[in-house]
Amino acid sequence: EVVIGYSTRLLHFAYVPHLLVYKGLEFGVILLLNWWLIHQKLHFLNLKWWTWTWLILLWLIVGVITYKLGHTSRIPAGIVTGIVAAATEECMFRGVIFSQLLKHWRNGWAAMLTSGLLFGALHLINLTHQSAGITLIQILQAAGMGVMLAAMYLRSGSLLVPMAFHFSLDYIAVAIHGLSGTP
């Protein structure tokens, strides 16, 4: 409780404890379902050193730009949002759903498209705090990103690749644009 309280003050966002609890529970359920239902190994192969170098450089550049614009509180918010969203959503949508669809259908395009559409549908939750028009745009964008992230996982064989890319997108969006409304 002390750590969560300190983190909330540090980030200046009251939603952080709720986000961490929700995503922690989501991650636990994903791993439990994976173990109980499908006994599938989630692949976390290492990325090449030069890939990590470019990613870290990108994250630092975005952090410096955000700092120079005077939005320093957005940097830790972007990191927290990026980590919790990327870890849970990639394990669920690419690691479990996409992998199972691919295993049963043996059609990469159908599995990518279906998992992407399901990933887009997840973003219907945003209707709780924003307009239907903006939510529809996010759903379409997330569905397209879901297909691309599945292709990254299929090509690389590692969940770290779509996780790193997903983290980058969320981190950059929050660092540059901030958070609006409630999560």
Side-chain angles (χ1 to χ4, degrees), residues 44-56 59 155-156 158 160-161 164:
F44 294 100
L45 305 173
N46 288 329
L47 298 180
K48 305 265 189 262
W49 67 269
W50 53 268
T51 303
W52 283 115
T53 303
W54 283 108
L55 284 170
I56 291 169
W59 300 334
R155 173 92 170 144
S156 69
S158 174
L160 286 179
V161 174

Side-chain angles (χ1 to χ4, degrees), residues 10-179:
L10 176 67
L11 297 175
H12 305 289
F13 293 106
Y15 76 89
V16 171
H18 304 288
L19 181 66
L20 292 173
V21 169
Y22 168 74
K23 288 296 185 175
L25 289 172
E26 180 183 11
F27 193 63
V29 167
I30 290 166
L31 293 178
L32 181 66
L33 286 173
N34 184 33
W35 173 80
W36 183 52
L37 294 174
I38 56 181
H39 307 290
Q40 172 180 289
K41 180 179 182 197
L42 298 177
H43 300 281
F44 294 100
L45 305 173
N46 288 329
L47 298 180
K48 305 265 189 262
W49 67 269
W50 53 268
T51 303
W52 283 115
T53 303
W54 283 108
L55 284 170
I56 291 169
L57 184 62
L58 169 69
W59 300 334
L60 288 173
I61 290 169
V62 170
V64 168
I65 291 170
T66 304
Y67 176 78
K68 293 285 186 185
L69 292 174
H71 302 295
T72 54
S73 66
R74 292 180 181 174
I75 296 169
I79 291 169
V80 169
T81 303
I83 289 171
V84 298
T88 57
E89 293 172 5
E90 292 313 308
C91 280
M92 182 65 180
F93 286 94
R94 263 52 74 187
V96 176
I97 293 173
F98 170 68
S99 294
Q100 285 302 298
L101 291 172
L102 188 61
K103 184 168 107 180
H104 291 289
W105 293 352
R106 302 201 191 284
N107 182 331
W109 284 105
M112 285 189 287
L113 184 60
T114 303
S115 68
L117 290 172
L118 290 171
F119 183 62
L122 170 76
H123 292 79
L124 278 168
I125 190 73
N126 294 340
L127 280 171
T128 62
H129 67 277
Q130 64 190 20
S131 72
I134 296 296
T135 301
L136 178 61
I137 291 168
Q138 285 182 334
I139 289 168
L140 294 173
Q141 183 266 341
M145 290 305 301
V147 172
M148 189 173 83
L149 292 165
M152 289 177 175
Y153 181 43
L154 183 63
R155 173 92 170 144
S156 69
S158 174
L159 275 174
L160 286 179
V161 174
M163 276 183 182
F165 190 79
H166 191 154
F167 168 83
S168 298
L169 291 175
D170 288 349
Y171 167 67
I172 290 168
V174 172
I176 292 175
H177 300 290
L179 294 167

